[in-house]
Amino acid sequence: MARKQIAAANWKMNLTYQQAQSLLDELFAHKIELSQDQYIALGVPFPYLSLAVDKVKNLDHVGIAAQNCYTQKSGAYTGETSAEMIASLGVQYVILGHSERREYFLESNQMLTEKINIALANGLTPIFCCGEALSIREANAHNEYVGQQLQESLFHLSADELKKIVIAYEPIWAIGTGKTATAEQAQEMHAHLRKVLADQYGLEVASQIPILYGGSVKGSNAKEIFGQPDVDGGLVGGASLKADEFLQVIAGLK
Ligand code: 13P
């Protein structure tokens, strides 16, 4: 079977409830044509998860993602949201380790192992984010740095567990800046990450893991980026907040 292709949205902390309703209605006003291996995942804010699950419940290949979950199962953690709560709503995915969470909420590779574990234990598909800052790329240390993020957060998993993970490579210098990695830069990193996975788990496993690109993806550049052999779709911020733009991104899946 061919590898999954995923157009994933990350709404981040945007939109009111009413705006979220309108965006979902606009997105699904017409049937979206998806081939057998193509999927859509919508990362919406926590308060809108139920709404979003309900809106897509009759749509094949469309799932909802939370943007985070806590490391612990339950208990006295005021303000946190557990993987079990998220899964109990019918949510399929959880975005973990986004660079904004690493930067503002000090999420470490180690903490992310716990989030990955609890997400998997609750049947959620983690969309594990990785990516380097500009200074690291300028020092030509990006391959090693991002490889290490995978190693430290994922390599405790068995091969069967790893096969449930989606990876999103998001170079920090390309997020929200309008400056995308070139298709070649994306392909080079994605091929590197697949090799890192293959060295640990074998080619057969590595070839099944979707690796998405994120960072200023929009309707006009999606097709070229997603067309690279090791790029299996995208994780899209700003351009996922407008229905017509995100529909164009979806149409860019190969
Ligand atoms: P932009 O698409 O707005 O650059 O954001 C990318 C991102 O961070 C998705 O998680």
Side-chain angles (χ1 to χ4, degrees), residues 9-35:
N10 178 6
W11 289 3
K12 309 192 181 182
M13 194 176 75
N14 290 297
L15 308 179
T16 62
Y17 185 78
Q18 290 74 19
Q19 289 167 334
Q21 270 180 316
S22 306
L23 177 52
L24 290 165
D25 287 340
E26 276 179 65
L27 276 174
F28 302 114
H30 303 285
K31 187 170 166 24
I32 301 173
E33 295 298 334
L34 295 169
S35 69

mmCIF file with all atom_site columns, all heavy atoms in Angstrom, residues 9-35:
data_model
loop_
_atom_site.group_PDB
_atom_site.id
_atom_site.type_symbol
_atom_site.label_atom_id
_atom_site.label_alt_id
_atom_site.label_comp_id
_atom_site.label_asym_id
_atom_site.label_entity_id
_atom_site.label_seq_id
_atom_site.pdbx_PDB_ins_code
_atom_site.Cartn_x
_atom_site.Cartn_y
_atom_site.Cartn_z
_atom_site.occupancy
_atom_site.B_iso_or_equiv
_atom_site.pdbx_formal_charge
_atom_site.auth_seq_id
_atom_site.auth_comp_id
_atom_site.auth_asym_id
_atom_site.auth_atom_id
_atom_site.pdbx_PDB_model_num
ATOM 1   N N   . ALA A 1 9  ? -4.268  20.759 8.926  1.00 0.00 ? 9  ALA A N   1
ATOM 2   C CA  . ALA A 1 9  ? -4.397  22.167 9.298  1.00 0.00 ? 9  ALA A CA  1
ATOM 3   C C   . ALA A 1 9  ? -4.004  22.323 10.758 1.00 0.00 ? 9  ALA A C   1
ATOM 4   O O   . ALA A 1 9  ? -4.296  21.455 11.579 1.00 0.00 ? 9  ALA A O   1
ATOM 5   C CB  . ALA A 1 9  ? -5.839  22.616 9.112  1.00 0.00 ? 9  ALA A CB  1
ATOM 6   N N   . ASN A 1 10 ? -3.333  23.419 11.068 1.00 0.00 ? 10 ASN A N   1
ATOM 7   C CA  . ASN A 1 10 ? -3.098  23.796 12.460 1.00 0.00 ? 10 ASN A CA  1
ATOM 8   C C   . ASN A 1 10 ? -3.625  25.215 12.619 1.00 0.00 ? 10 ASN A C   1
ATOM 9   O O   . ASN A 1 10 ? -2.977  26.171 12.211 1.00 0.00 ? 10 ASN A O   1
ATOM 10  C CB  . ASN A 1 10 ? -1.594  23.725 12.766 1.00 0.00 ? 10 ASN A CB  1
ATOM 11  C CG  . ASN A 1 10 ? -1.294  24.147 14.199 1.00 0.00 ? 10 ASN A CG  1
ATOM 12  O OD1 . ASN A 1 10 ? -2.212  24.388 14.995 1.00 0.00 ? 10 ASN A OD1 1
ATOM 13  N ND2 . ASN A 1 10 ? -0.018  24.246 14.525 1.00 0.00 ? 10 ASN A ND2 1
ATOM 14  N N   . TRP A 1 11 ? -4.812  25.294 13.180 1.00 0.00 ? 11 TRP A N   1
ATOM 15  C CA  . TRP A 1 11 ? -5.432  26.624 13.338 1.00 0.00 ? 11 TRP A CA  1
ATOM 16  C C   . TRP A 1 11 ? -4.734  27.446 14.409 1.00 0.00 ? 11 TRP A C   1
ATOM 17  O O   . TRP A 1 11 ? -4.975  28.646 14.527 1.00 0.00 ? 11 TRP A O   1
ATOM 18  C CB  . TRP A 1 11 ? -6.914  26.477 13.712 1.00 0.00 ? 11 TRP A CB  1
ATOM 19  C CG  . TRP A 1 11 ? -7.802  25.979 12.611 1.00 0.00 ? 11 TRP A CG  1
ATOM 20  C CD1 . TRP A 1 11 ? -7.438  25.595 11.338 1.00 0.00 ? 11 TRP A CD1 1
ATOM 21  C CD2 . TRP A 1 11 ? -9.235  25.817 12.679 1.00 0.00 ? 11 TRP A CD2 1
ATOM 22  N NE1 . TRP A 1 11 ? -8.552  25.200 10.629 1.00 0.00 ? 11 TRP A NE1 1
ATOM 23  C CE2 . TRP A 1 11 ? -9.662  25.321 11.422 1.00 0.00 ? 11 TRP A CE2 1
ATOM 24  C CE3 . TRP A 1 11 ? -10.194 26.029 13.678 1.00 0.00 ? 11 TRP A CE3 1
ATOM 25  C CZ2 . TRP A 1 11 ? -11.013 25.050 11.148 1.00 0.00 ? 11 TRP A CZ2 1
ATOM 26  C CZ3 . TRP A 1 11 ? -11.524 25.760 13.409 1.00 0.00 ? 11 TRP A CZ3 1
ATOM 27  C CH2 . TRP A 1 11 ? -11.928 25.285 12.150 1.00 0.00 ? 11 TRP A CH2 1
ATOM 28  N N   . LYS A 1 12 ? -3.931  26.795 15.243 1.00 0.00 ? 12 LYS A N   1
ATOM 29  C CA  . LYS A 1 12 ? -3.275  27.471 16.380 1.00 0.00 ? 12 LYS A CA  1
ATOM 30  C C   . LYS A 1 12 ? -4.334  28.163 17.248 1.00 0.00 ? 12 LYS A C   1
ATOM 31  O O   . LYS A 1 12 ? -5.453  27.648 17.339 1.00 0.00 ? 12 LYS A O   1
ATOM 32  C CB  . LYS A 1 12 ? -2.186  28.431 15.881 1.00 0.00 ? 12 LYS A CB  1
ATOM 33  C CG  . LYS A 1 12 ? -1.219  27.735 14.911 1.00 0.00 ? 12 LYS A CG  1
ATOM 34  C CD  . LYS A 1 12 ? 0.017   28.521 14.598 1.00 0.00 ? 12 LYS A CD  1
ATOM 35  C CE  . LYS A 1 12 ? 0.883   27.736 13.622 1.00 0.00 ? 12 LYS A CE  1
ATOM 36  N NZ  . LYS A 1 12 ? 2.147   28.388 13.285 1.00 0.00 ? 12 LYS A NZ  1
ATOM 37  N N   . MET A 1 13 ? -4.024  29.305 17.856 1.00 0.00 ? 13 MET A N   1
ATOM 38  C CA  . MET A 1 13 ? -5.012  29.963 18.733 1.00 0.00 ? 13 MET A CA  1
ATOM 39  C C   . MET A 1 13 ? -5.726  31.062 17.952 1.00 0.00 ? 13 MET A C   1
ATOM 40  O O   . MET A 1 13 ? -5.540  32.251 18.188 1.00 0.00 ? 13 MET A O   1
ATOM 41  C CB  . MET A 1 13 ? -4.307  30.532 19.980 1.00 0.00 ? 13 MET A CB  1
ATOM 42  C CG  . MET A 1 13 ? -5.291  30.919 21.077 1.00 0.00 ? 13 MET A CG  1
ATOM 43  S SD  . MET A 1 13 ? -4.474  31.473 22.591 1.00 0.00 ? 13 MET A SD  1
ATOM 44  C CE  . MET A 1 13 ? -3.928  33.117 22.132 1.00 0.00 ? 13 MET A CE  1
ATOM 45  N N   . ASN A 1 14 ? -6.516  30.610 16.980 1.00 0.00 ? 14 ASN A N   1
ATOM 46  C CA  . ASN A 1 14 ? -7.226  31.556 16.116 1.00 0.00 ? 14 ASN A CA  1
ATOM 47  C C   . ASN A 1 14 ? -8.695  31.176 16.003 1.00 0.00 ? 14 ASN A C   1
ATOM 48  O O   . ASN A 1 14 ? -9.051  30.021 16.202 1.00 0.00 ? 14 ASN A O   1
ATOM 49  C CB  . ASN A 1 14 ? -6.608  31.554 14.708 1.00 0.00 ? 14 ASN A CB  1
ATOM 50  C CG  . ASN A 1 14 ? -5.227  32.172 14.696 1.00 0.00 ? 14 ASN A CG  1
ATOM 51  O OD1 . ASN A 1 14 ? -5.065  33.351 14.989 1.00 0.00 ? 14 ASN A OD1 1
ATOM 52  N ND2 . ASN A 1 14 ? -4.221  31.379 14.402 1.00 0.00 ? 14 ASN A ND2 1
ATOM 53  N N   . LEU A 1 15 ? -9.508  32.140 15.673 1.00 0.00 ? 15 LEU A N   1
ATOM 54  C CA  . LEU A 1 15 ? -10.944 32.026 15.362 1.00 0.00 ? 15 LEU A CA  1
ATOM 55  C C   . LEU A 1 15 ? -11.835 31.921 16.606 1.00 0.00 ? 15 LEU A C   1
ATOM 56  O O   . LEU A 1 15 ? -11.513 31.225 17.564 1.00 0.00 ? 15 LEU A O   1
ATOM 57  C CB  . LEU A 1 15 ? -11.245 30.826 14.441 1.00 0.00 ? 15 LEU A CB  1
ATOM 58  C CG  . LEU A 1 15 ? -10.433 30.703 13.145 1.00 0.00 ? 15 LEU A CG  1
ATOM 59  C CD1 . LEU A 1 15 ? -10.861 29.453 12.396 1.00 0.00 ? 15 LEU A CD1 1
ATOM 60  C CD2 . LEU A 1 15 ? -10.571 31.933 12.282 1.00 0.00 ? 15 LEU A CD2 1
ATOM 61  N N   . THR A 1 16 ? -12.968 32.608 16.523 1.00 0.00 ? 16 THR A N   1
ATOM 62  C CA  . THR A 1 16 ? -14.014 32.434 17.536 1.00 0.00 ? 16 THR A CA  1
ATOM 63  C C   . THR A 1 16 ? -14.812 31.181 17.172 1.00 0.00 ? 16 THR A C   1
ATOM 64  O O   . THR A 1 16 ? -14.649 30.614 16.081 1.00 0.00 ? 16 THR A O   1
ATOM 65  C CB  . THR A 1 16 ? -14.994 33.622 17.513 1.00 0.00 ? 16 THR A CB  1
ATOM 66  O OG1 . THR A 1 16 ? -15.630 33.647 16.222 1.00 0.00 ? 16 THR A OG1 1
ATOM 67  C CG2 . THR A 1 16 ? -14.279 34.948 17.752 1.00 0.00 ? 16 THR A CG2 1
ATOM 68  N N   . TYR A 1 17 ? -15.689 30.793 18.067 1.00 0.00 ? 17 TYR A N   1
ATOM 69  C CA  . TYR A 1 17 ? -16.548 29.621 17.812 1.00 0.00 ? 17 TYR A CA  1
ATOM 70  C C   . TYR A 1 17 ? -17.353 29.813 16.518 1.00 0.00 ? 17 TYR A C   1
ATOM 71  O O   . TYR A 1 17 ? -17.420 28.913 15.676 1.00 0.00 ? 17 TYR A O   1
ATOM 72  C CB  . TYR A 1 17 ? -17.490 29.443 19.009 1.00 0.00 ? 17 TYR A CB  1
ATOM 73  C CG  . TYR A 1 17 ? -18.331 28.199 18.928 1.00 0.00 ? 17 TYR A CG  1
ATOM 74  C CD1 . TYR A 1 17 ? -17.797 26.952 19.240 1.00 0.00 ? 17 TYR A CD1 1
ATOM 75  C CD2 . TYR A 1 17 ? -19.678 28.274 18.557 1.00 0.00 ? 17 TYR A CD2 1
ATOM 76  C CE1 . TYR A 1 17 ? -18.570 25.806 19.172 1.00 0.00 ? 17 TYR A CE1 1
ATOM 77  C CE2 . TYR A 1 17 ? -20.454 27.129 18.494 1.00 0.00 ? 17 TYR A CE2 1
ATOM 78  C CZ  . TYR A 1 17 ? -19.891 25.897 18.797 1.00 0.00 ? 17 TYR A CZ  1
ATOM 79  O OH  . TYR A 1 17 ? -20.666 24.762 18.726 1.00 0.00 ? 17 TYR A OH  1
ATOM 80  N N   . GLN A 1 18 ? -17.916 31.016 16.359 1.00 0.00 ? 18 GLN A N   1
ATOM 81  C CA  . GLN A 1 18 ? -18.739 31.277 15.174 1.00 0.00 ? 18 GLN A CA  1
ATOM 82  C C   . GLN A 1 18 ? -17.883 31.233 13.910 1.00 0.00 ? 18 GLN A C   1
ATOM 83  O O   . GLN A 1 18 ? -18.312 30.698 12.875 1.00 0.00 ? 18 GLN A O   1
ATOM 84  C CB  . GLN A 1 18 ? -19.423 32.656 15.291 1.00 0.00 ? 18 GLN A CB  1
ATOM 85  C CG  . GLN A 1 18 ? -20.527 32.729 16.348 1.00 0.00 ? 18 GLN A CG  1
ATOM 86  C CD  . GLN A 1 18 ? -20.001 32.750 17.793 1.00 0.00 ? 18 GLN A CD  1
ATOM 87  O OE1 . GLN A 1 18 ? -18.823 33.056 18.034 1.00 0.00 ? 18 GLN A OE1 1
ATOM 88  N NE2 . GLN A 1 18 ? -20.866 32.440 18.749 1.00 0.00 ? 18 GLN A NE2 1
ATOM 89  N N   . GLN A 1 19 ? -16.685 31.790 13.989 1.00 0.00 ? 19 GLN A N   1
ATOM 90  C CA  . GLN A 1 19 ? -15.791 31.750 12.818 1.00 0.00 ? 19 GLN A CA  1
ATOM 91  C C   . GLN A 1 19 ? -15.368 30.321 12.499 1.00 0.00 ? 19 GLN A C   1
ATOM 92  O O   . GLN A 1 19 ? -15.247 29.939 11.340 1.00 0.00 ? 19 GLN A O   1
ATOM 93  C CB  . GLN A 1 19 ? -14.556 32.626 13.079 1.00 0.00 ? 19 GLN A CB  1
ATOM 94  C CG  . GLN A 1 19 ? -14.870 34.111 13.080 1.00 0.00 ? 19 GLN A CG  1
ATOM 95  C CD  . GLN A 1 19 ? -13.718 34.948 13.647 1.00 0.00 ? 19 GLN A CD  1
ATOM 96  O OE1 . GLN A 1 19 ? -12.913 34.471 14.460 1.00 0.00 ? 19 GLN A OE1 1
ATOM 97  N NE2 . GLN A 1 19 ? -13.652 36.195 13.226 1.00 0.00 ? 19 GLN A NE2 1
ATOM 98  N N   . ALA A 1 20 ? -15.160 29.539 13.547 1.00 0.00 ? 20 ALA A N   1
ATOM 99  C CA  . ALA A 1 20 ? -14.781 28.131 13.348 1.00 0.00 ? 20 ALA A CA  1
ATOM 100 C C   . ALA A 1 20 ? -15.922 27.383 12.653 1.00 0.00 ? 20 ALA A C   1
ATOM 101 O O   . ALA A 1 20 ? -15.694 26.608 11.714 1.00 0.00 ? 20 ALA A O   1
ATOM 102 C CB  . ALA A 1 20 ? -14.445 27.485 14.682 1.00 0.00 ? 20 ALA A CB  1
ATOM 103 N N   . GLN A 1 21 ? -17.144 27.637 13.105 1.00 0.00 ? 21 GLN A N   1
ATOM 104 C CA  . GLN A 1 21 ? -18.316 27.007 12.468 1.00 0.00 ? 21 GLN A CA  1
ATOM 105 C C   . GLN A 1 21 ? -18.380 27.350 10.986 1.00 0.00 ? 21 GLN A C   1
ATOM 106 O O   . GLN A 1 21 ? -18.567 26.483 10.130 1.00 0.00 ? 21 GLN A O   1
ATOM 107 C CB  . GLN A 1 21 ? -19.599 27.545 13.120 1.00 0.00 ? 21 GLN A CB  1
ATOM 108 C CG  . GLN A 1 21 ? -20.062 26.747 14.298 1.00 0.00 ? 21 GLN A CG  1
ATOM 109 C CD  . GLN A 1 21 ? -21.332 27.321 14.904 1.00 0.00 ? 21 GLN A CD  1
ATOM 110 O OE1 . GLN A 1 21 ? -21.456 28.539 15.074 1.00 0.00 ? 21 GLN A OE1 1
ATOM 111 N NE2 . GLN A 1 21 ? -22.256 26.455 15.242 1.00 0.00 ? 21 GLN A NE2 1
ATOM 112 N N   . SER A 1 22 ? -18.210 28.635 10.677 1.00 0.00 ? 22 SER A N   1
ATOM 113 C CA  . SER A 1 22 ? -18.302 29.071 9.267  1.00 0.00 ? 22 SER A CA  1
ATOM 114 C C   . SER A 1 22 ? -17.202 28.433 8.436  1.00 0.00 ? 22 SER A C   1
ATOM 115 O O   . SER A 1 22 ? -17.452 27.995 7.304  1.00 0.00 ? 22 SER A O   1
ATOM 116 C CB  . SER A 1 22 ? -18.136 30.590 9.140  1.00 0.00 ? 22 SER A CB  1
ATOM 117 O OG  . SER A 1 22 ? -19.042 31.227 9.952  1.00 0.00 ? 22 SER A OG  1
ATOM 118 N N   . LEU A 1 23 ? -15.992 28.395 8.980  1.00 0.00 ? 23 LEU A N   1
ATOM 119 C CA  . LEU A 1 23 ? -14.873 27.827 8.211  1.00 0.00 ? 23 LEU A CA  1
ATOM 120 C C   . LEU A 1 23 ? -15.136 26.343 7.921  1.00 0.00 ? 23 LEU A C   1
ATOM 121 O O   . LEU A 1 23 ? -14.942 25.874 6.798  1.00 0.00 ? 23 LEU A O   1
ATOM 122 C CB  . LEU A 1 23 ? -13.557 28.036 8.970  1.00 0.00 ? 23 LEU A CB  1
ATOM 123 C CG  . LEU A 1 23 ? -12.299 27.446 8.352  1.00 0.00 ? 23 LEU A CG  1
ATOM 124 C CD1 . LEU A 1 23 ? -12.119 27.867 6.893  1.00 0.00 ? 23 LEU A CD1 1
ATOM 125 C CD2 . LEU A 1 23 ? -11.059 27.873 9.153  1.00 0.00 ? 23 LEU A CD2 1
ATOM 126 N N   . LEU A 1 24 ? -15.597 25.623 8.926  1.00 0.00 ? 24 LEU A N   1
ATOM 127 C CA  . LEU A 1 24 ? -15.883 24.194 8.717  1.00 0.00 ? 24 LEU A CA  1
ATOM 128 C C   . LEU A 1 24 ? -16.992 24.030 7.682  1.00 0.00 ? 24 LEU A C   1
ATOM 129 O O   . LEU A 1 24 ? -16.913 23.168 6.794  1.00 0.00 ? 24 LEU A O   1
ATOM 130 C CB  . LEU A 1 24 ? -16.274 23.532 10.041 1.00 0.00 ? 24 LEU A CB  1
ATOM 131 C CG  . LEU A 1 24 ? -15.119 23.396 11.055 1.00 0.00 ? 24 LEU A CG  1
ATOM 132 C CD1 . LEU A 1 24 ? -15.658 23.080 12.443 1.00 0.00 ? 24 LEU A CD1 1
ATOM 133 C CD2 . LEU A 1 24 ? -14.132 22.318 10.606 1.00 0.00 ? 24 LEU A CD2 1
ATOM 134 N N   . ASP A 1 25 ? -18.017 24.866 7.765  1.00 0.00 ? 25 ASP A N   1
ATOM 135 C CA  . ASP A 1 25 ? -19.119 24.769 6.798  1.00 0.00 ? 25 ASP A CA  1
ATOM 136 C C   . ASP A 1 25 ? -18.634 25.063 5.385  1.00 0.00 ? 25 ASP A C   1
ATOM 137 O O   . ASP A 1 25 ? -19.002 24.385 4.434  1.00 0.00 ? 25 ASP A O   1
ATOM 138 C CB  . ASP A 1 25 ? -20.250 25.732 7.177  1.00 0.00 ? 25 ASP A CB  1
ATOM 139 C CG  . ASP A 1 25 ? -21.009 25.227 8.404  1.00 0.00 ? 25 ASP A CG  1
ATOM 140 O OD1 . ASP A 1 25 ? -20.917 24.011 8.695  1.00 0.00 ? 25 ASP A OD1 1
ATOM 141 O OD2 . ASP A 1 25 ? -21.675 26.039 9.063  1.00 0.00 ? 25 ASP A OD2 1
ATOM 142 N N   . GLU A 1 26 ? -17.792 26.085 5.266  1.00 0.00 ? 26 GLU A N   1
ATOM 143 C CA  . GLU A 1 26 ? -17.269 26.434 3.932  1.00 0.00 ? 26 GLU A CA  1
ATOM 144 C C   . GLU A 1 26 ? -16.391 25.325 3.377  1.00 0.00 ? 26 GLU A C   1
ATOM 145 O O   . GLU A 1 26 ? -16.463 24.999 2.188  1.00 0.00 ? 26 GLU A O   1
ATOM 146 C CB  . GLU A 1 26 ? -16.407 27.707 4.017  1.00 0.00 ? 26 GLU A CB  1
ATOM 147 C CG  . GLU A 1 26 ? -17.178 28.997 3.947  1.00 0.00 ? 26 GLU A CG  1
ATOM 148 C CD  . GLU A 1 26 ? -16.208 30.167 4.076  1.00 0.00 ? 26 GLU A CD  1
ATOM 149 O OE1 . GLU A 1 26 ? -15.358 30.353 3.180  1.00 0.00 ? 26 GLU A OE1 1
ATOM 150 O OE2 . GLU A 1 26 ? -16.285 30.871 5.093  1.00 0.00 ? 26 GLU A OE2 1
ATOM 151 N N   . LEU A 1 27 ? -15.554 24.764 4.245  1.00 0.00 ? 27 LEU A N   1
ATOM 152 C CA  . LEU A 1 27 ? -14.633 23.707 3.772  1.00 0.00 ? 27 LEU A CA  1
ATOM 153 C C   . LEU A 1 27 ? -15.395 22.515 3.211  1.00 0.00 ? 27 LEU A C   1
ATOM 154 O O   . LEU A 1 27 ? -14.989 21.928 2.201  1.00 0.00 ? 27 LEU A O   1
ATOM 155 C CB  . LEU A 1 27 ? -13.767 23.208 4.934  1.00 0.00 ? 27 LEU A CB  1
ATOM 156 C CG  . LEU A 1 27 ? -12.509 23.981 5.272  1.00 0.00 ? 27 LEU A CG  1
ATOM 157 C CD1 . LEU A 1 27 ? -11.876 23.408 6.535  1.00 0.00 ? 27 LEU A CD1 1
ATOM 158 C CD2 . LEU A 1 27 ? -11.504 23.923 4.118  1.00 0.00 ? 27 LEU A CD2 1
ATOM 159 N N   . PHE A 1 28 ? -16.486 22.160 3.890  1.00 0.00 ? 28 PHE A N   1
ATOM 160 C CA  . PHE A 1 28 ? -17.167 20.922 3.511  1.00 0.00 ? 28 PHE A CA  1
ATOM 161 C C   . PHE A 1 28 ? -18.482 21.176 2.776  1.00 0.00 ? 28 PHE A C   1
ATOM 162 O O   . PHE A 1 28 ? -19.341 20.304 2.689  1.00 0.00 ? 28 PHE A O   1
ATOM 163 C CB  . PHE A 1 28 ? -17.338 20.030 4.742  1.00 0.00 ? 28 PHE A CB  1
ATOM 164 C CG  . PHE A 1 28 ? -16.015 19.709 5.382  1.00 0.00 ? 28 PHE A CG  1
ATOM 165 C CD1 . PHE A 1 28 ? -15.692 20.167 6.645  1.00 0.00 ? 28 PHE A CD1 1
ATOM 166 C CD2 . PHE A 1 28 ? -15.053 18.980 4.676  1.00 0.00 ? 28 PHE A CD2 1
ATOM 167 C CE1 . PHE A 1 28 ? -14.447 19.902 7.211  1.00 0.00 ? 28 PHE A CE1 1
ATOM 168 C CE2 . PHE A 1 28 ? -13.806 18.709 5.227  1.00 0.00 ? 28 PHE A CE2 1
ATOM 169 C CZ  . PHE A 1 28 ? -13.506 19.174 6.498  1.00 0.00 ? 28 PHE A CZ  1
ATOM 170 N N   . ALA A 1 29 ? -18.620 22.383 2.232  1.00 0.00 ? 29 ALA A N   1
ATOM 171 C CA  . ALA A 1 29 ? -19.833 22.708 1.465  1.00 0.00 ? 29 ALA A CA  1
ATOM 172 C C   . ALA A 1 29 ? -19.906 21.848 0.205  1.00 0.00 ? 29 ALA A C   1
ATOM 173 O O   . ALA A 1 29 ? -20.991 21.510 -0.272 1.00 0.00 ? 29 ALA A O   1
ATOM 174 C CB  . ALA A 1 29 ? -19.830 24.189 1.099  1.00 0.00 ? 29 ALA A CB  1
ATOM 175 N N   . HIS A 1 30 ? -18.755 21.521 -0.348 1.00 0.00 ? 30 HIS A N   1
ATOM 176 C CA  . HIS A 1 30 ? -18.712 20.664 -1.544 1.00 0.00 ? 30 HIS A CA  1
ATOM 177 C C   . HIS A 1 30 ? -17.891 19.437 -1.199 1.00 0.00 ? 30 HIS A C   1
ATOM 178 O O   . HIS A 1 30 ? -16.989 19.498 -0.371 1.00 0.00 ? 30 HIS A O   1
ATOM 179 C CB  . HIS A 1 30 ? -18.055 21.405 -2.711 1.00 0.00 ? 30 HIS A CB  1
ATOM 180 C CG  . HIS A 1 30 ? -18.747 22.691 -3.019 1.00 0.00 ? 30 HIS A CG  1
ATOM 181 N ND1 . HIS A 1 30 ? -19.946 22.749 -3.663 1.00 0.00 ? 30 HIS A ND1 1
ATOM 182 C CD2 . HIS A 1 30 ? -18.410 23.968 -2.713 1.00 0.00 ? 30 HIS A CD2 1
ATOM 183 C CE1 . HIS A 1 30 ? -20.334 24.014 -3.754 1.00 0.00 ? 30 HIS A CE1 1
ATOM 184 N NE2 . HIS A 1 30 ? -19.414 24.779 -3.187 1.00 0.00 ? 30 HIS A NE2 1
ATOM 185 N N   . LYS A 1 31 ? -18.183 18.361 -1.891 1.00 0.00 ? 31 LYS A N   1
ATOM 186 C CA  . LYS A 1 31 ? -17.442 17.127 -1.628 1.00 0.00 ? 31 LYS A CA  1
ATOM 187 C C   . LYS A 1 31 ? -15.975 17.310 -2.054 1.00 0.00 ? 31 LYS A C   1
ATOM 188 O O   . LYS A 1 31 ? -15.699 17.808 -3.152 1.00 0.00 ? 31 LYS A O   1
ATOM 189 C CB  . LYS A 1 31 ? -18.081 15.976 -2.409 1.00 0.00 ? 31 LYS A CB  1
ATOM 190 C CG  . LYS A 1 31 ? -17.479 14.632 -2.052 1.00 0.00 ? 31 LYS A CG  1
ATOM 191 C CD  . LYS A 1 31 ? -18.308 13.508 -2.652 1.00 0.00 ? 31 LYS A CD  1
ATOM 192 C CE  . LYS A 1 31 ? -17.632 12.156 -2.648 1.00 0.00 ? 31 LYS A CE  1
ATOM 193 N NZ  . LYS A 1 31 ? -16.597 11.908 -1.682 1.00 0.00 ? 31 LYS A NZ  1
ATOM 194 N N   . ILE A 1 32 ? -15.055 16.963 -1.175 1.00 0.00 ? 32 ILE A N   1
ATOM 195 C CA  . ILE A 1 32 ? -13.639 17.048 -1.517 1.00 0.00 ? 32 ILE A CA  1
ATOM 196 C C   . ILE A 1 32 ? -13.210 15.691 -2.052 1.00 0.00 ? 32 ILE A C   1
ATOM 197 O O   . ILE A 1 32 ? -13.441 14.666 -1.410 1.00 0.00 ? 32 ILE A O   1
ATOM 198 C CB  . ILE A 1 32 ? -12.804 17.417 -0.266 1.00 0.00 ? 32 ILE A CB  1
ATOM 199 C CG1 . ILE A 1 32 ? -13.278 18.752 0.306  1.00 0.00 ? 32 ILE A CG1 1
ATOM 200 C CG2 . ILE A 1 32 ? -11.315 17.467 -0.604 1.00 0.00 ? 32 ILE A CG2 1
ATOM 201 C CD1 . ILE A 1 32 ? -12.627 19.129 1.635  1.00 0.00 ? 32 ILE A CD1 1
ATOM 202 N N   . GLU A 1 33 ? -12.619 15.694 -3.232 1.00 0.00 ? 33 GLU A N   1
ATOM 203 C CA  . GLU A 1 33 ? -12.187 14.422 -3.834 1.00 0.00 ? 33 GLU A CA  1
ATOM 204 C C   . GLU A 1 33 ? -10.849 14.009 -3.236 1.00 0.00 ? 33 GLU A C   1
ATOM 205 O O   . GLU A 1 33 ? -9.859  14.732 -3.354 1.00 0.00 ? 33 GLU A O   1
ATOM 206 C CB  . GLU A 1 33 ? -12.029 14.577 -5.362 1.00 0.00 ? 33 GLU A CB  1
ATOM 207 C CG  . GLU A 1 33 ? -13.324 14.869 -6.111 1.00 0.00 ? 33 GLU A CG  1
ATOM 208 C CD  . GLU A 1 33 ? -14.362 13.755 -5.988 1.00 0.00 ? 33 GLU A CD  1
ATOM 209 O OE1 . GLU A 1 33 ? -13.972 12.583 -5.768 1.00 0.00 ? 33 GLU A OE1 1
ATOM 210 O OE2 . GLU A 1 33 ? -15.573 14.054 -6.084 1.00 0.00 ? 33 GLU A OE2 1
ATOM 211 N N   . LEU A 1 34 ? -10.833 12.859 -2.585 1.00 0.00 ? 34 LEU A N   1
ATOM 212 C CA  . LEU A 1 34 ? -9.586  12.349 -2.014 1.00 0.00 ? 34 LEU A CA  1
ATOM 213 C C   . LEU A 1 34 ? -9.367  10.943 -2.537 1.00 0.00 ? 34 LEU A C   1
ATOM 214 O O   . LEU A 1 34 ? -10.309 10.141 -2.569 1.00 0.00 ? 34 LEU A O   1
ATOM 215 C CB  . LEU A 1 34 ? -9.680  12.304 -0.488 1.00 0.00 ? 34 LEU A CB  1
ATOM 216 C CG  . LEU A 1 34 ? -9.806  13.641 0.249  1.00 0.00 ? 34 LEU A CG  1
ATOM 217 C CD1 . LEU A 1 34 ? -10.152 13.413 1.716  1.00 0.00 ? 34 LEU A CD1 1
ATOM 218 C CD2 . LEU A 1 34 ? -8.526  14.453 0.124  1.00 0.00 ? 34 LEU A CD2 1
ATOM 219 N N   . SER A 1 35 ? -8.145  10.639 -2.929 1.00 0.00 ? 35 SER A N   1
ATOM 220 C CA  . SER A 1 35 ? -7.880  9.272  -3.385 1.00 0.00 ? 35 SER A CA  1
ATOM 221 C C   . SER A 1 35 ? -7.684  8.371  -2.163 1.00 0.00 ? 35 SER A C   1
ATOM 222 O O   . SER A 1 35 ? -7.663  8.842  -1.022 1.00 0.00 ? 35 SER A O   1
ATOM 223 C CB  . SER A 1 35 ? -6.678  9.245  -4.319 1.00 0.00 ? 35 SER A CB  1
ATOM 224 O OG  . SER A 1 35 ? -5.530  9.527  -3.580 1.00 0.00 ? 35 SER A OG  1
#
